[in-house]
Amino acid sequence: MKLFNNFYNMKVGIVDLTKLSFETISLDKKIAAEKIGGAAVNEDLFKQYKDDVPLVIGVGPLTGSFAPASCLAVATFLSPRFGGNLCHIPLMLRTGPDMKFSGIDFLVIKGIASSPKILHVDKGFVRILSAEHLIRVDIPECLRILKKEMAHSRSILLTGPAADNGVQIASVSTGFNGSLDKVGLAFSMASKNLKGIVFNGTDGLSFIEDNLKHNETIEKRLFAEEGHKNEGFLSMLDKIGIEENLRGVIKKAKCRNMACYHCPSPCMSSVRFKWYDPRKNARVEDNILLSDHMGFLALAKKKGKDIFPLSESCHRFGLDPVAVADRLPESLSLLESLNAIEEISVTPEMPEIRPELHQSEEIYNLFGGGLPPILPDELRKKRIGISMILGVCPIFLLRFPQISELDLLEFLTNNEPDLEFLEKEIQSILGE
Ligand code: SF4
């Protein structure tokens, strides 16, 4: 479809880990027109290659564009944790734009490698590299090694020691910042012997000229309506509901609000915190990016003021903090909790504990438990669906329901028949 010419590279990368081969094929114009992008195209590709149980990662037409919060890539795979159903996990920060700007819109990863591999995506090409030296190395150290080996790496999706050890509650990390993977993306990657994916997004796409103006209009309207006061990570926790004492834990820390690619309203905070490390018998200073609201709340409810070092520890080993919180007894000291997290990261056979859902089972099964349970279920499902197709952050669309579907589609076209066509296609994909 001509409509998408400015918005895609029109390229699908196919990686076969069994044969250690890579090829690119053109994005099928008919599929792009019917499915538009993101999770919907991912699902189509998943079905085409289903015999190889692929992992598909893809972007939407608006990913990396002037649209607000256009940071999204989506990973689609069979969740090993919850009954083997097809899940779509949002990947934020800069993952989507860096993927698109590395020259590939969709990546189908099939087969199983005979030894650990890492993919390096650059200028429309994928190199399949050895990752044996990264196995069971904690995530910060892995990142240090990778930055040395690949000087221009931009976004890195990485699994940690927990996934290497076959732990089902492992969670993929975007850099050292964790992610909203709470349904086993990291475990699926590890079962393919895939340690990570590096996107070297140095190229770009030219977007339609008046997109910049359209974005300014939306932002102006948004902040006028909102009476905007932004407290980063706390803004979202306040919407979900947070107890005053836990709010105080963040308020006391040194915070700097952070946003993903092209997001005008940060819901994340970088926190600098001092704590007494009982393993070193010393007072130390650390830094962590708070981006996983559900993970924070689950762990903070159990462990209160120890939340920062414990979250850091989950990130370090590549574990889902919600699932860790379910397994940590409240009575443990900080030292015992840190030791317990390390123990969890090497214990593959653990009974699955299904966390409290706070939302409909259908939404949970489709998108995992990482998205904050705000808005009524029907509206919530629609907003998440639109975001996952177009490539805009789902948390952003949940926070600002006043941004309409039409506002977003107008980044793609101003032509009335095209807009009508796109609206109909989205309705049909979402089963409305
Ligand atoms: S709303 Fe939050 S998660 Fe979404 S793009 Fe903005 S900062 Fe990132």
Side-chain angles (χ1 to χ4, degrees), residues 30-70:
K30 191 166 170 277
I31 291 174
E34 280 173 16
K35 303 289 177 184
I36 301 173
V41 172
N42 279 5
E43 192 164 330
D44 199 280
L45 287 165
F46 181 91
K47 285 178 185 155
Q48 285 180 45
Y49 292 90
K50 72 173 185 307
D51 293 344
D52 296 299
V53 198
L55 155 64
V56 186
I57 300 182
V59 295
L62 293 184
T63 302
S65 73
F66 285 112
S70 57

Short mmCIF file of all heavy atoms in Angstrom, two decimals, residues 30-70:
data_model
loop_
_atom_site.label_atom_id
_atom_site.label_comp_id
_atom_site.label_asym_id
_atom_site.label_seq_id
_atom_site.Cartn_x
_atom_site.Cartn_y
_atom_site.Cartn_z
N LYS A 30 -0.03 -6.49 0.44
CA LYS A 30 -1.43 -6.83 0.75
C LYS A 30 -1.59 -7.04 2.27
O LYS A 30 -2.53 -6.55 2.89
CB LYS A 30 -1.80 -8.10 -0.02
CG LYS A 30 -3.26 -8.41 0.01
CD LYS A 30 -3.62 -9.47 -1.03
CE LYS A 30 -5.04 -9.96 -0.86
NZ LYS A 30 -5.19 -10.98 0.14
N ILE A 31 -0.59 -7.72 2.86
CA ILE A 31 -0.66 -7.95 4.32
C ILE A 31 -0.53 -6.62 5.06
O ILE A 31 -1.25 -6.35 6.01
CB ILE A 31 0.44 -8.94 4.76
CG1 ILE A 31 0.09 -10.34 4.22
CG2 ILE A 31 0.54 -9.00 6.29
CD1 ILE A 31 1.15 -11.37 4.46
N ALA A 32 0.39 -5.76 4.57
CA ALA A 32 0.56 -4.46 5.23
C ALA A 32 -0.75 -3.67 5.16
O ALA A 32 -1.15 -3.03 6.13
CB ALA A 32 1.69 -3.68 4.58
N ALA A 33 -1.42 -3.74 4.01
CA ALA A 33 -2.68 -2.99 3.86
C ALA A 33 -3.76 -3.55 4.77
O ALA A 33 -4.49 -2.81 5.42
CB ALA A 33 -3.14 -3.05 2.41
N GLU A 34 -3.84 -4.86 4.86
CA GLU A 34 -4.91 -5.47 5.66
C GLU A 34 -4.63 -5.44 7.16
O GLU A 34 -5.51 -5.28 7.97
CB GLU A 34 -5.09 -6.93 5.24
CG GLU A 34 -5.90 -7.08 3.97
CD GLU A 34 -5.92 -8.52 3.49
OE1 GLU A 34 -5.58 -9.45 4.27
OE2 GLU A 34 -6.25 -8.70 2.34
N LYS A 35 -3.36 -5.66 7.50
CA LYS A 35 -3.04 -5.80 8.93
C LYS A 35 -2.38 -4.55 9.51
O LYS A 35 -2.15 -4.45 10.71
CB LYS A 35 -2.09 -7.01 9.15
CG LYS A 35 -2.64 -8.33 8.62
CD LYS A 35 -3.78 -8.80 9.48
CE LYS A 35 -4.39 -10.07 8.93
NZ LYS A 35 -5.56 -10.51 9.68
N ILE A 36 -1.96 -3.65 8.67
CA ILE A 36 -1.38 -2.34 9.03
C ILE A 36 0.00 -2.44 9.68
O ILE A 36 0.94 -1.81 9.25
CB ILE A 36 -2.36 -1.52 9.90
CG1 ILE A 36 -3.66 -1.33 9.07
CG2 ILE A 36 -1.78 -0.15 10.28
CD1 ILE A 36 -4.80 -0.71 9.80
N GLY A 37 0.13 -3.20 10.76
CA GLY A 37 1.48 -3.31 11.32
C GLY A 37 1.50 -3.92 12.71
O GLY A 37 0.51 -4.48 13.18
N GLY A 38 2.64 -3.80 13.37
CA GLY A 38 2.82 -4.24 14.76
C GLY A 38 2.33 -5.66 15.01
O GLY A 38 2.61 -6.59 14.24
N ALA A 39 1.56 -5.81 16.08
CA ALA A 39 1.12 -7.13 16.52
C ALA A 39 0.31 -7.86 15.44
O ALA A 39 0.39 -9.09 15.34
CB ALA A 39 0.28 -7.00 17.80
N ALA A 40 -0.46 -7.11 14.62
CA ALA A 40 -1.32 -7.77 13.63
C ALA A 40 -0.48 -8.38 12.50
O ALA A 40 -0.75 -9.50 12.06
CB ALA A 40 -2.33 -6.77 13.07
N VAL A 41 0.54 -7.65 12.04
CA VAL A 41 1.42 -8.23 11.01
C VAL A 41 2.26 -9.35 11.63
O VAL A 41 2.47 -10.41 11.03
CB VAL A 41 2.33 -7.14 10.36
CG1 VAL A 41 3.36 -7.78 9.44
CG2 VAL A 41 1.47 -6.14 9.58
N ASN A 42 2.74 -9.11 12.87
CA ASN A 42 3.50 -10.16 13.57
C ASN A 42 2.72 -11.48 13.58
O ASN A 42 3.26 -12.55 13.31
CB ASN A 42 3.72 -9.78 15.04
CG ASN A 42 4.87 -8.81 15.25
OD1 ASN A 42 5.46 -8.36 14.29
ND2 ASN A 42 5.18 -8.51 16.49
N GLU A 43 1.43 -11.36 13.92
CA GLU A 43 0.61 -12.57 14.05
C GLU A 43 0.48 -13.28 12.70
O GLU A 43 0.54 -14.50 12.61
CB GLU A 43 -0.77 -12.19 14.60
CG GLU A 43 -1.57 -13.40 15.02
CD GLU A 43 -2.74 -13.06 15.92
OE1 GLU A 43 -2.68 -12.09 16.68
OE2 GLU A 43 -3.73 -13.81 15.85
N ASP A 44 0.34 -12.48 11.64
CA ASP A 44 0.25 -13.06 10.30
C ASP A 44 1.54 -13.81 9.96
O ASP A 44 1.52 -14.95 9.47
CB ASP A 44 0.00 -11.93 9.28
CG ASP A 44 -0.56 -12.49 8.00
OD1 ASP A 44 0.24 -12.99 7.22
OD2 ASP A 44 -1.79 -12.47 7.82
N LEU A 45 2.68 -13.16 10.26
CA LEU A 45 3.97 -13.82 9.98
C LEU A 45 4.13 -15.06 10.85
O LEU A 45 4.65 -16.09 10.40
CB LEU A 45 5.13 -12.84 10.24
CG LEU A 45 5.26 -11.72 9.20
CD1 LEU A 45 6.16 -10.59 9.72
CD2 LEU A 45 5.83 -12.27 7.89
N PHE A 46 3.68 -14.96 12.10
CA PHE A 46 3.77 -16.12 13.00
C PHE A 46 3.03 -17.30 12.37
O PHE A 46 3.55 -18.43 12.36
CB PHE A 46 3.16 -15.79 14.37
CG PHE A 46 3.25 -16.93 15.34
CD1 PHE A 46 4.34 -17.04 16.18
CD2 PHE A 46 2.28 -17.93 15.37
CE1 PHE A 46 4.46 -18.12 17.06
CE2 PHE A 46 2.39 -19.01 16.23
CZ PHE A 46 3.48 -19.10 17.07
N LYS A 47 1.83 -17.04 11.83
CA LYS A 47 1.04 -18.14 11.24
C LYS A 47 1.74 -18.71 10.01
O LYS A 47 1.74 -19.91 9.79
CB LYS A 47 -0.36 -17.64 10.88
CG LYS A 47 -1.23 -17.47 12.13
CD LYS A 47 -2.59 -16.92 11.78
CE LYS A 47 -3.38 -16.67 13.07
NZ LYS A 47 -4.40 -15.65 12.89
N GLN A 48 2.37 -17.82 9.20
CA GLN A 48 3.06 -18.32 8.00
C GLN A 48 4.21 -19.27 8.36
O GLN A 48 4.51 -20.19 7.63
CB GLN A 48 3.67 -17.15 7.23
CG GLN A 48 2.66 -16.32 6.46
CD GLN A 48 3.37 -15.18 5.75
OE1 GLN A 48 4.41 -15.37 5.13
NE2 GLN A 48 2.82 -13.99 5.85
N TYR A 49 4.86 -19.00 9.49
CA TYR A 49 6.05 -19.80 9.85
C TYR A 49 5.79 -20.69 11.06
O TYR A 49 6.71 -21.08 11.75
CB TYR A 49 7.24 -18.86 10.13
CG TYR A 49 7.73 -18.14 8.90
CD1 TYR A 49 7.20 -16.90 8.56
CD2 TYR A 49 8.69 -18.71 8.07
CE1 TYR A 49 7.63 -16.23 7.42
CE2 TYR A 49 9.12 -18.04 6.92
CZ TYR A 49 8.58 -16.81 6.60
OH TYR A 49 9.01 -16.16 5.47
N LYS A 50 4.51 -20.97 11.33
CA LYS A 50 4.17 -21.58 12.63
C LYS A 50 4.84 -22.93 12.88
O LYS A 50 5.10 -23.29 14.03
CB LYS A 50 2.68 -21.64 12.86
CG LYS A 50 1.91 -22.66 12.04
CD LYS A 50 0.47 -22.69 12.55
CE LYS A 50 -0.37 -23.75 11.92
NZ LYS A 50 -0.39 -23.75 10.45
N ASP A 51 5.16 -23.67 11.83
CA ASP A 51 5.79 -24.98 12.04
C ASP A 51 7.16 -24.84 12.71
O ASP A 51 7.66 -25.78 13.32
CB ASP A 51 5.93 -25.73 10.72
CG ASP A 51 4.56 -26.11 10.18
OD1 ASP A 51 3.59 -26.06 10.97
OD2 ASP A 51 4.45 -26.42 8.98
N ASP A 52 7.78 -23.66 12.55
CA ASP A 52 9.11 -23.43 13.16
C ASP A 52 9.01 -22.76 14.52
O ASP A 52 10.02 -22.30 15.05
CB ASP A 52 9.95 -22.55 12.24
CG ASP A 52 10.23 -23.23 10.93
OD1 ASP A 52 10.85 -24.30 10.93
OD2 ASP A 52 9.80 -22.71 9.88
N VAL A 53 7.78 -22.66 15.06
CA VAL A 53 7.53 -21.96 16.34
C VAL A 53 8.38 -20.67 16.43
O VAL A 53 9.28 -20.56 17.26
CB VAL A 53 7.81 -22.87 17.56
CG1 VAL A 53 7.11 -22.30 18.81
CG2 VAL A 53 7.36 -24.28 17.32
N PRO A 54 8.07 -19.72 15.56
CA PRO A 54 8.94 -18.54 15.50
C PRO A 54 8.68 -17.54 16.62
O PRO A 54 7.64 -17.57 17.27
CB PRO A 54 8.56 -17.91 14.16
CG PRO A 54 7.11 -18.24 14.00
CD PRO A 54 6.93 -19.60 14.63
N LEU A 55 9.65 -16.70 16.83
CA LEU A 55 9.47 -15.48 17.61
C LEU A 55 9.48 -14.37 16.57
O LEU A 55 10.37 -14.32 15.72
CB LEU A 55 10.65 -15.34 18.59
CG LEU A 55 10.99 -13.95 19.09
CD1 LEU A 55 9.85 -13.38 19.91
CD2 LEU A 55 12.26 -14.00 19.94
N VAL A 56 8.46 -13.50 16.62
CA VAL A 56 8.40 -12.42 15.63
C VAL A 56 8.47 -11.08 16.36
O VAL A 56 7.76 -10.88 17.35
CB VAL A 56 7.09 -12.49 14.80
CG1 VAL A 56 7.11 -11.44 13.69
CG2 VAL A 56 6.89 -13.87 14.20
N ILE A 57 9.34 -10.21 15.89
CA ILE A 57 9.40 -8.87 16.47
C ILE A 57 9.12 -7.88 15.35
O ILE A 57 9.66 -8.02 14.24
CB ILE A 57 10.78 -8.60 17.11
CG1 ILE A 57 11.04 -9.64 18.21
CG2 ILE A 57 10.84 -7.19 17.71
CD1 ILE A 57 12.33 -9.47 18.96
N GLY A 58 8.25 -6.91 15.62
CA GLY A 58 7.90 -5.99 14.54
C GLY A 58 7.53 -4.62 15.05
O GLY A 58 7.28 -4.42 16.24
N VAL A 59 7.49 -3.68 14.13
CA VAL A 59 7.14 -2.30 14.47
C VAL A 59 5.83 -1.94 13.77
O VAL A 59 5.35 -2.68 12.91
CB VAL A 59 8.24 -1.31 14.04
CG1 VAL A 59 9.52 -1.56 14.81
CG2 VAL A 59 8.50 -1.41 12.53
N GLY A 60 5.26 -0.80 14.14
CA GLY A 60 4.05 -0.31 13.47
C GLY A 60 4.43 0.80 12.51
O GLY A 60 5.56 1.29 12.53
N PRO A 61 3.47 1.25 11.68
CA PRO A 61 3.80 2.32 10.73
C PRO A 61 4.23 3.60 11.45
O PRO A 61 5.05 4.35 10.92
CB PRO A 61 2.50 2.52 9.94
CG PRO A 61 1.42 1.89 10.76
CD PRO A 61 2.07 0.79 11.53
N LEU A 62 3.69 3.85 12.64
CA LEU A 62 4.04 5.10 13.33
C LEU A 62 5.29 4.99 14.19
O LEU A 62 5.77 6.00 14.72
CB LEU A 62 2.86 5.57 14.20
CG LEU A 62 1.62 6.02 13.42
CD1 LEU A 62 0.55 6.56 14.37
CD2 LEU A 62 1.97 7.09 12.39
N THR A 63 5.82 3.79 14.37
CA THR A 63 7.05 3.64 15.17
C THR A 63 8.15 4.53 14.59
O THR A 63 8.40 4.51 13.39
CB THR A 63 7.54 2.17 15.13
OG1 THR A 63 6.51 1.33 15.63
CG2 THR A 63 8.80 1.99 15.96
N GLY A 64 8.78 5.31 15.46
CA GLY A 64 9.90 6.14 15.02
C GLY A 64 9.46 7.39 14.27
O GLY A 64 10.30 8.12 13.76
N SER A 65 8.14 7.63 14.22
CA SER A 65 7.64 8.80 13.47
C SER A 65 7.49 10.00 14.39
O SER A 65 7.86 9.95 15.56
CB SER A 65 6.28 8.46 12.85
OG SER A 65 5.31 8.43 13.89
N PHE A 66 6.87 11.08 13.89
CA PHE A 66 6.63 12.26 14.72
C PHE A 66 5.43 12.08 15.65
O PHE A 66 5.14 12.97 16.45
CB PHE A 66 6.40 13.49 13.83
CG PHE A 66 7.66 14.00 13.22
CD1 PHE A 66 7.89 13.92 11.87
CD2 PHE A 66 8.63 14.58 14.03
CE1 PHE A 66 9.06 14.40 11.31
CE2 PHE A 66 9.81 15.06 13.48
CZ PHE A 66 10.02 14.97 12.12
N ALA A 67 4.71 10.98 15.53
CA ALA A 67 3.56 10.75 16.43
C ALA A 67 4.06 10.68 17.88
O ALA A 67 5.18 10.23 18.12
CB ALA A 67 2.87 9.45 16.04
N PRO A 68 3.25 11.11 18.84
CA PRO A 68 3.71 11.08 20.23
C PRO A 68 3.93 9.64 20.71
O PRO A 68 3.18 8.73 20.32
CB PRO A 68 2.56 11.73 21.02
CG PRO A 68 1.36 11.62 20.13
CD PRO A 68 1.87 11.63 18.72
N ALA A 69 4.98 9.45 21.51
CA ALA A 69 5.28 8.14 22.12
C ALA A 69 5.43 7.03 21.08
O ALA A 69 4.96 5.90 21.28
CB ALA A 69 4.22 7.77 23.16
N SER A 70 6.10 7.36 19.98
CA SER A 70 6.20 6.40 18.86
C SER A 70 7.40 5.46 19.04
O SER A 70 8.22 5.29 18.15
CB SER A 70 6.33 7.17 17.54
OG SER A 70 7.45 8.03 17.59
#
